[in-house]
Short mmCIF file of all heavy atoms in Angstrom, two decimals:
data_model
loop_
_atom_site.label_atom_id
_atom_site.label_comp_id
_atom_site.label_asym_id
_atom_site.label_seq_id
_atom_site.Cartn_x
_atom_site.Cartn_y
_atom_site.Cartn_z
N PRO A 1 -26.26 -15.68 -2.24
CA PRO A 1 -25.77 -14.36 -2.75
C PRO A 1 -25.89 -14.27 -4.24
O PRO A 1 -25.86 -15.35 -4.95
CB PRO A 1 -24.24 -14.44 -2.40
CG PRO A 1 -23.95 -15.95 -2.35
CD PRO A 1 -25.10 -16.58 -1.93
N PRO A 2 -26.17 -13.08 -4.78
CA PRO A 2 -26.23 -12.94 -6.22
C PRO A 2 -24.96 -13.24 -6.91
O PRO A 2 -23.87 -13.01 -6.29
CB PRO A 2 -26.71 -11.49 -6.38
CG PRO A 2 -26.16 -10.81 -5.11
CD PRO A 2 -26.31 -11.84 -4.07
N SER A 3 -25.00 -13.67 -8.18
CA SER A 3 -23.77 -13.88 -8.81
C SER A 3 -22.98 -12.62 -9.12
O SER A 3 -23.59 -11.59 -9.34
CB SER A 3 -24.05 -14.59 -10.20
OG SER A 3 -24.96 -13.69 -10.94
N LEU A 4 -21.68 -12.70 -8.80
CA LEU A 4 -20.83 -11.50 -9.01
C LEU A 4 -20.31 -11.31 -10.31
O LEU A 4 -19.89 -12.31 -10.92
CB LEU A 4 -19.80 -11.59 -7.91
CG LEU A 4 -20.26 -11.66 -6.41
CD1 LEU A 4 -19.12 -11.88 -5.48
CD2 LEU A 4 -20.90 -10.29 -6.05
N PRO A 5 -20.30 -10.06 -10.88
CA PRO A 5 -19.60 -9.83 -12.17
C PRO A 5 -18.15 -10.24 -12.05
O PRO A 5 -17.56 -10.00 -10.96
CB PRO A 5 -19.89 -8.47 -12.49
CG PRO A 5 -20.13 -7.72 -11.09
CD PRO A 5 -20.75 -8.89 -10.24
N GLN A 6 -17.55 -10.60 -13.21
CA GLN A 6 -16.09 -10.66 -13.20
C GLN A 6 -15.48 -9.29 -12.98
O GLN A 6 -15.96 -8.27 -13.21
CB GLN A 6 -15.58 -11.30 -14.43
CG GLN A 6 -15.97 -12.71 -14.52
CD GLN A 6 -15.17 -13.49 -15.71
OE1 GLN A 6 -14.69 -12.85 -16.66
NE2 GLN A 6 -15.03 -14.79 -15.48
N THR A 7 -14.26 -9.37 -12.50
CA THR A 7 -13.55 -8.10 -12.09
C THR A 7 -12.18 -8.08 -12.65
O THR A 7 -11.57 -9.17 -12.85
CB THR A 7 -13.56 -7.82 -10.54
OG1 THR A 7 -13.13 -6.57 -10.31
CG2 THR A 7 -12.65 -8.86 -9.81
N THR A 8 -11.53 -6.86 -12.65
CA THR A 8 -10.14 -6.77 -13.05
C THR A 8 -9.19 -7.42 -12.14
O THR A 8 -9.42 -7.34 -10.86
CB THR A 8 -9.75 -5.27 -13.16
OG1 THR A 8 -10.67 -4.53 -14.03
CG2 THR A 8 -8.34 -5.10 -13.68
N GLY A 9 -8.25 -8.10 -12.67
CA GLY A 9 -7.27 -8.91 -11.77
C GLY A 9 -6.46 -7.97 -10.95
O GLY A 9 -6.33 -6.72 -11.20
N PRO A 10 -5.76 -8.42 -9.99
CA PRO A 10 -4.94 -7.65 -9.07
C PRO A 10 -3.64 -7.01 -9.73
O PRO A 10 -3.27 -7.57 -10.70
CB PRO A 10 -4.60 -8.55 -7.89
CG PRO A 10 -4.62 -9.98 -8.56
CD PRO A 10 -5.72 -9.90 -9.54
N LEU A 11 -3.25 -5.88 -9.18
CA LEU A 11 -2.03 -5.24 -9.74
C LEU A 11 -0.89 -6.16 -9.42
O LEU A 11 0.10 -6.10 -10.18
CB LEU A 11 -1.82 -3.84 -8.99
CG LEU A 11 -2.49 -2.66 -9.60
CD1 LEU A 11 -2.39 -1.41 -8.76
CD2 LEU A 11 -1.90 -2.40 -11.04
N PHE A 12 -0.87 -6.79 -8.28
CA PHE A 12 0.28 -7.75 -7.90
C PHE A 12 -0.30 -9.11 -7.87
O PHE A 12 -1.33 -9.44 -7.27
CB PHE A 12 0.83 -7.28 -6.54
CG PHE A 12 1.38 -5.84 -6.54
CD1 PHE A 12 0.55 -4.78 -6.11
CD2 PHE A 12 2.64 -5.62 -7.01
CE1 PHE A 12 1.07 -3.57 -6.08
CE2 PHE A 12 3.13 -4.28 -6.96
CZ PHE A 12 2.32 -3.28 -6.56
N GLU A 13 0.49 -9.95 -8.49
CA GLU A 13 0.08 -11.43 -8.58
C GLU A 13 -0.25 -12.01 -7.17
O GLU A 13 0.64 -11.90 -6.26
CB GLU A 13 1.07 -12.20 -9.31
CG GLU A 13 0.62 -13.66 -9.71
CD GLU A 13 1.65 -14.34 -10.48
OE1 GLU A 13 2.74 -13.75 -10.70
OE2 GLU A 13 1.35 -15.50 -10.89
N HIS A 14 -1.24 -12.78 -6.92
CA HIS A 14 -1.69 -13.53 -5.84
C HIS A 14 -1.81 -12.51 -4.68
O HIS A 14 -1.88 -13.06 -3.46
CB HIS A 14 -0.53 -14.53 -5.40
CG HIS A 14 -0.23 -15.52 -6.48
ND1 HIS A 14 -1.27 -16.32 -7.04
CD2 HIS A 14 0.92 -15.89 -7.01
CE1 HIS A 14 -0.67 -17.12 -7.88
NE2 HIS A 14 0.61 -16.89 -8.02
N GLN A 15 -2.17 -11.30 -4.87
CA GLN A 15 -2.41 -10.32 -3.81
C GLN A 15 -3.78 -9.62 -4.13
O GLN A 15 -3.84 -8.49 -4.66
CB GLN A 15 -1.34 -9.35 -3.63
CG GLN A 15 -0.03 -10.06 -3.19
CD GLN A 15 1.09 -9.15 -2.90
OE1 GLN A 15 0.90 -8.18 -2.18
NE2 GLN A 15 2.33 -9.51 -3.24
N PRO A 16 -4.96 -10.21 -3.70
CA PRO A 16 -6.18 -9.64 -4.04
C PRO A 16 -6.52 -8.41 -3.30
O PRO A 16 -7.43 -7.59 -3.77
CB PRO A 16 -7.20 -10.76 -3.70
CG PRO A 16 -6.40 -11.58 -2.64
CD PRO A 16 -5.04 -11.51 -2.97
N PHE A 17 -5.89 -8.14 -2.16
CA PHE A 17 -6.16 -6.91 -1.45
C PHE A 17 -4.80 -6.33 -0.97
O PHE A 17 -4.00 -7.09 -0.30
CB PHE A 17 -7.03 -7.25 -0.19
CG PHE A 17 -7.41 -5.97 0.54
CD1 PHE A 17 -8.50 -5.14 0.14
CD2 PHE A 17 -6.65 -5.54 1.68
CE1 PHE A 17 -8.81 -4.01 0.91
CE2 PHE A 17 -7.03 -4.41 2.38
CZ PHE A 17 -8.10 -3.59 1.99
N ILE A 18 -4.63 -5.13 -1.39
CA ILE A 18 -3.34 -4.43 -0.99
C ILE A 18 -3.64 -3.15 -0.23
O ILE A 18 -4.66 -2.54 -0.37
CB ILE A 18 -2.48 -4.16 -2.25
CG1 ILE A 18 -3.12 -3.07 -3.14
CG2 ILE A 18 -1.99 -5.42 -2.95
CD1 ILE A 18 -2.26 -2.62 -4.26
N VAL A 19 -2.70 -2.69 0.52
CA VAL A 19 -2.73 -1.35 1.17
C VAL A 19 -1.52 -0.49 0.68
O VAL A 19 -0.43 -0.96 0.76
CB VAL A 19 -2.73 -1.52 2.69
CG1 VAL A 19 -2.88 -0.19 3.36
CG2 VAL A 19 -3.81 -2.40 3.16
N SER A 20 -1.86 0.68 0.26
CA SER A 20 -0.76 1.56 -0.34
C SER A 20 -0.62 2.79 0.54
O SER A 20 -1.50 3.13 1.34
CB SER A 20 -1.15 2.05 -1.73
OG SER A 20 -1.19 0.98 -2.66
N TRP A 21 0.58 3.23 0.50
CA TRP A 21 1.05 4.33 1.48
C TRP A 21 1.06 5.66 0.66
O TRP A 21 1.72 5.75 -0.35
CB TRP A 21 2.40 3.98 2.00
CG TRP A 21 3.05 5.05 2.87
CD1 TRP A 21 3.83 6.12 2.47
CD2 TRP A 21 3.03 5.15 4.27
NE1 TRP A 21 4.31 6.88 3.48
CE2 TRP A 21 3.80 6.35 4.57
CE3 TRP A 21 2.50 4.46 5.28
CZ2 TRP A 21 4.01 6.69 5.96
CZ3 TRP A 21 2.76 4.81 6.69
CH2 TRP A 21 3.48 5.98 6.93
N ASN A 22 0.31 6.66 1.17
CA ASN A 22 0.35 7.97 0.51
C ASN A 22 0.31 9.02 1.58
O ASN A 22 -0.49 9.89 1.60
CB ASN A 22 -0.91 8.12 -0.35
CG ASN A 22 -0.77 9.23 -1.34
OD1 ASN A 22 -1.86 9.80 -1.71
ND2 ASN A 22 0.37 9.61 -1.78
N ILE A 23 1.50 9.08 2.36
CA ILE A 23 1.58 9.90 3.45
C ILE A 23 2.95 10.73 3.43
O ILE A 23 3.94 10.09 3.05
CB ILE A 23 1.67 9.10 4.80
CG1 ILE A 23 0.23 8.52 5.08
CG2 ILE A 23 2.01 9.91 6.03
CD1 ILE A 23 0.08 7.66 6.23
N PRO A 24 2.86 12.04 3.67
CA PRO A 24 4.15 12.83 3.53
C PRO A 24 5.12 12.36 4.63
O PRO A 24 4.78 12.06 5.82
CB PRO A 24 3.70 14.27 3.85
CG PRO A 24 2.49 14.12 4.51
CD PRO A 24 1.72 12.86 4.10
N ASP A 25 6.44 12.33 4.25
CA ASP A 25 7.54 11.88 5.12
C ASP A 25 8.61 12.90 5.32
O ASP A 25 9.66 12.59 5.93
CB ASP A 25 8.03 10.63 4.63
CG ASP A 25 8.49 10.58 3.34
OD1 ASP A 25 8.58 11.74 2.73
OD2 ASP A 25 8.97 9.50 2.69
N LEU A 26 8.42 14.12 4.61
CA LEU A 26 9.57 15.08 4.67
C LEU A 26 10.07 15.48 6.12
O LEU A 26 11.20 15.39 6.37
CB LEU A 26 9.16 16.36 3.96
CG LEU A 26 10.22 17.37 3.72
CD1 LEU A 26 11.43 16.84 2.96
CD2 LEU A 26 9.59 18.67 3.11
N VAL A 27 9.03 15.84 7.00
CA VAL A 27 9.41 16.28 8.28
C VAL A 27 9.99 15.09 9.12
O VAL A 27 10.95 15.28 9.82
CB VAL A 27 8.17 16.82 8.96
CG1 VAL A 27 8.57 17.24 10.41
CG2 VAL A 27 7.65 18.12 8.31
N CYS A 28 9.44 13.88 8.97
CA CYS A 28 10.05 12.70 9.63
C CYS A 28 11.49 12.40 9.24
O CYS A 28 12.28 12.13 10.07
CB CYS A 28 9.05 11.60 9.37
SG CYS A 28 7.34 11.81 9.91
N ASN A 29 11.69 12.52 7.91
CA ASN A 29 13.10 12.30 7.46
C ASN A 29 14.04 13.30 7.98
O ASN A 29 15.11 13.05 8.28
CB ASN A 29 13.07 12.41 5.90
CG ASN A 29 12.39 11.12 5.27
OD1 ASN A 29 12.26 10.11 5.96
ND2 ASN A 29 11.86 11.29 4.02
N ARG A 30 13.56 14.65 8.02
CA ARG A 30 14.44 15.71 8.50
C ARG A 30 14.81 15.39 10.05
O ARG A 30 15.85 15.77 10.48
CB ARG A 30 13.75 16.98 8.40
CG ARG A 30 13.69 17.60 7.02
CD ARG A 30 12.96 18.79 6.99
NE ARG A 30 12.88 19.50 5.71
CZ ARG A 30 12.18 20.51 5.38
NH1 ARG A 30 11.34 21.07 6.24
NH2 ARG A 30 12.20 21.02 4.11
N ASN A 31 13.87 14.76 10.77
CA ASN A 31 14.13 14.48 12.18
C ASN A 31 14.77 13.07 12.31
O ASN A 31 14.75 12.60 13.52
CB ASN A 31 12.73 14.61 12.94
CG ASN A 31 12.33 16.02 13.17
OD1 ASN A 31 12.81 16.74 14.14
ND2 ASN A 31 11.52 16.57 12.34
N ASN A 32 15.10 12.39 11.26
CA ASN A 32 15.73 11.09 11.32
C ASN A 32 14.90 10.09 12.02
O ASN A 32 15.39 9.31 12.89
CB ASN A 32 17.10 11.23 12.03
CG ASN A 32 18.13 12.03 11.18
OD1 ASN A 32 18.21 11.80 10.03
ND2 ASN A 32 18.86 12.83 11.85
N ILE A 33 13.52 10.18 11.80
CA ILE A 33 12.65 9.23 12.34
C ILE A 33 12.16 8.24 11.32
O ILE A 33 11.52 8.75 10.27
CB ILE A 33 11.35 9.88 12.99
CG1 ILE A 33 11.78 10.89 14.11
CG2 ILE A 33 10.37 8.99 13.45
CD1 ILE A 33 10.72 11.74 14.69
N SER A 34 12.52 7.02 11.45
CA SER A 34 12.26 6.00 10.31
C SER A 34 10.77 5.55 10.41
O SER A 34 10.20 5.53 11.46
CB SER A 34 13.11 4.84 10.48
OG SER A 34 12.93 4.19 11.78
N LEU A 35 10.21 5.41 9.27
CA LEU A 35 8.76 4.89 9.20
C LEU A 35 8.82 3.60 8.40
O LEU A 35 9.31 3.50 7.34
CB LEU A 35 7.96 5.92 8.36
CG LEU A 35 7.98 7.31 8.93
CD1 LEU A 35 7.12 8.23 8.14
CD2 LEU A 35 7.26 7.33 10.38
N ASP A 36 8.40 2.52 9.13
CA ASP A 36 8.48 1.15 8.56
C ASP A 36 7.28 0.98 7.66
O ASP A 36 6.18 0.68 8.22
CB ASP A 36 8.57 0.13 9.75
CG ASP A 36 8.57 -1.28 9.06
OD1 ASP A 36 8.69 -1.49 7.88
OD2 ASP A 36 8.58 -2.30 9.91
N THR A 37 7.45 1.05 6.36
CA THR A 37 6.36 0.81 5.45
C THR A 37 6.46 -0.50 4.66
O THR A 37 5.92 -0.71 3.64
CB THR A 37 6.32 1.96 4.35
OG1 THR A 37 7.57 2.04 3.72
CG2 THR A 37 6.09 3.31 5.10
N SER A 38 7.21 -1.50 5.24
CA SER A 38 7.35 -2.76 4.55
C SER A 38 6.18 -3.48 4.23
O SER A 38 6.10 -4.23 3.17
CB SER A 38 8.34 -3.64 5.45
OG SER A 38 7.85 -3.83 6.71
N PRO A 39 4.98 -3.48 4.97
CA PRO A 39 3.88 -4.27 4.57
C PRO A 39 3.02 -3.61 3.46
O PRO A 39 2.11 -4.20 2.92
CB PRO A 39 2.89 -4.35 5.82
CG PRO A 39 3.83 -3.85 7.02
CD PRO A 39 4.76 -2.86 6.36
N PHE A 40 3.33 -2.37 3.11
CA PHE A 40 2.57 -1.62 2.14
C PHE A 40 3.02 -1.99 0.68
O PHE A 40 4.21 -2.17 0.38
CB PHE A 40 2.72 -0.16 2.26
CG PHE A 40 2.05 0.42 3.56
CD1 PHE A 40 2.72 0.34 4.70
CD2 PHE A 40 0.75 0.97 3.50
CE1 PHE A 40 2.17 0.77 5.91
CE2 PHE A 40 0.20 1.41 4.67
CZ PHE A 40 0.89 1.33 5.85
N LYS A 41 2.11 -2.25 -0.24
CA LYS A 41 2.33 -2.32 -1.57
C LYS A 41 2.22 -1.02 -2.40
O LYS A 41 1.12 -0.48 -2.62
CB LYS A 41 1.47 -3.30 -2.28
CG LYS A 41 1.68 -4.72 -1.75
CD LYS A 41 2.99 -5.30 -2.01
CE LYS A 41 3.35 -5.60 -3.41
NZ LYS A 41 4.61 -6.15 -3.61
N GLY A 42 3.41 -0.28 -2.73
CA GLY A 42 3.21 0.97 -3.25
C GLY A 42 3.39 2.06 -2.22
O GLY A 42 2.50 2.39 -1.46
N VAL A 43 4.57 2.59 -2.11
CA VAL A 43 4.84 3.69 -1.10
C VAL A 43 5.07 5.02 -1.91
O VAL A 43 5.97 5.12 -2.83
CB VAL A 43 6.10 3.32 -0.20
CG1 VAL A 43 6.44 4.49 0.66
CG2 VAL A 43 5.83 2.07 0.50
#
């Protein structure tokens, strides 16, 4: 493989790949339906 350029470090230490949540929850909250977003970094 070709040599890779250096890259910016992660936003969260020791977490090179994160998944963030950007989904509307207003209607779900009104209906008292809980959404488990615990594995997401940044909700």
Side-chain angles (χ1 to χ4, degrees):
S3 59
L4 297 170
Q6 290 197 331
T7 188
T8 303
L11 271 173
F12 299 94
E13 189 179 5
H14 302 308
Q15 298 189 38
F17 184 83
I18 64 171
V19 183
S20 297
W21 174 274
N22 195 211
I23 292 176
D25 57 6
L26 182 62
V27 175
C28 300
N29 289 337
R30 284 177 180 171
N31 284 277
N32 294 318
I33 296 173
S34 62
L35 302 174
D36 181 3
T37 57
S38 56
F40 292 82
K41 293 299 293 185
V43 177

